[in-house]
Amino acid sequence: MKWEDNVRKVTPYVAGEQPDQPDVIKLNTNECPYPPAPGVARLAAQMNCDRLRLYPDPDVTPLTEALAAYYLVSPEQVFVGVGSDDVLSMAFLTFFNSGRPILFPDVTYSFYDVWANLYRIPYKTCELDQNWHIRPEDYKQPNGGIIFPNPNAPTGVLESLETIEEILKANRDVIVIVDEAYIDFGGVSALPLLEKYDNLLVVQTFSKSRAMAGLRIGFCIGSPKMIGYLNDVKFSFNSYTMNLPAQLLGAEAVKDQQYFKETTARIINTREQVKKEFKQLGFTFPDSMGNFIFASHRDISAGQLFEALRQANIYVRYWNRPKISEYLRITVGTDQQMDKLLDFLRNYVN
């Protein structure tokens, strides 16, 4: 058909399955296995629904101010979006416009190339080393911007602040985005580097460590000038991107630091215990600092194991792609969920 000649055609990002079954052990989308902070539920029960007839605050003031106070920055340094995917998409649209290729790892979050194709941004992938680490020298070539997750996804590998700063030093003329979706599970944030580098943008999310994937809250922190440019694009796109309940409940979640620390500590502890069990069962994996493990078995193909787990109503993530086709990404669930996973694997492997 003639009209199809002018359609913008892209290959979309494919999210993990969302099975609608009560008995499923869902370990395929890196959601938090625990509920949000108690104050979130209390506030949700008290919310006045009459306010929903009004537009929400376009500046997302309650949440922006809560995040600024928590991270010890000014509100002018905080940009909030509908999940970190929204924030990252806005950043691609705002900052990657030089016509030169942007750079990101060859094994990484699979939304990056989707946004690049959607916005007609040229890109080049840089190969990870044999231990799944970034090679800083690869990011010292001419480019139009850089983005990478830390810890990386799907590998879980954490880069040091020294590595990040080496990349920043070599790229003062472009924006460098560090995607910290999993930083709260054992990593050190790049946020302190903002004092030295005004071209750094640090992106985080409420979907993992703050247990609020269903509300879609993401944010980034950068220089006031950089955040100003992001807001200009946002208000040219949609002034009311975040609904009122998400703004208020997100701000409430930020206030409860003790619950946040306790929850992430529980997940870290479970992850480290599961690593020990996986090794005994013949799995190999990078040392993940996320809320997941990227595992390969020495004798059983990942595709075979993925299907066997699925038949047992245990959902994990599998990509039949070069370099990672023999790996499964397994979210860290509750201790009870992981015990069921381990029981299945012991029987299947042996």
Side-chain angles (χ1 to χ4, degrees), residues 113-161:
D113 61 341
V114 173
W115 287 317
N117 288 324
L118 178 63
Y119 297 134
R120 302 295 191 259
I121 301 167
Y123 68 91
K124 180 179 179 181
T125 59
C126 301
E127 190 173 358
L128 297 175
D129 70 17
Q130 61 184 0
N131 295 314
W132 304 101
H133 278 280
I134 283 174
R135 297 184 296 196
E137 60 269 22
D138 292 340
Y139 296 84
K140 296 178 182 179
Q141 58 184 297
N143 67 81
I146 293 169
I147 182 168
F148 55 88
N150 195 44
N152 197 7
T155 65
V157 170
L158 180 74
E159 304 295 347
S160 67
L161 287 187

Side-chain angles (χ1 to χ4, degrees), residues 22-151:
D23 58 341
V24 162
I25 296 176
K26 191 171 180 294
L27 306 175
N28 66 332
T29 48
N30 294 346
E31 295 145 322
C32 182
Y34 303 108
V40 173
R42 287 195 296 269
L43 181 60
Q46 298 166 5
M47 288 187 69
N48 179 7
C49 288
D50 182 60
R51 293 182 65 184
L52 298 182
R53 65 185 176 81
L54 304 173
Y55 283 111
D57 177 359
D59 294 317
V60 199
T61 303
L63 183 51
T64 298
E65 291 185 346
L67 288 166
Y70 183 85
Y71 290 102
L72 304 177
V73 296
S74 70
E76 292 74 27
Q77 289 182 264
V78 180
F79 176 86
V80 175
V82 185
S84 61
D85 287 339
D86 181 47
V87 175
L88 289 165
S89 177
M90 288 282 184
F92 270 60
L93 190 59
T94 305
F95 299 121
F96 294 158
N97 295 294
S98 71
R100 298 190 301 271
I102 63 171
L103 306 177
F104 49 83
D106 64 335
V107 177
T108 194
Y109 185 32
S110 54
F111 228 139
Y112 297 161
D113 61 341
V114 173
W115 287 317
N117 288 324
L118 178 63
Y119 297 134
R120 302 295 191 259
I121 301 167
Y123 68 91
K124 180 179 179 181
T125 59
C126 301
E127 190 173 358
L128 297 175
D129 70 17
Q130 61 184 0
N131 295 314
W132 304 101
H133 278 280
I134 283 174
R135 297 184 296 196
E137 60 269 22
D138 292 340
Y139 296 84
K140 296 178 182 179
Q141 58 184 297
N143 67 81
I146 293 169
I147 182 168
F148 55 88
N150 195 44

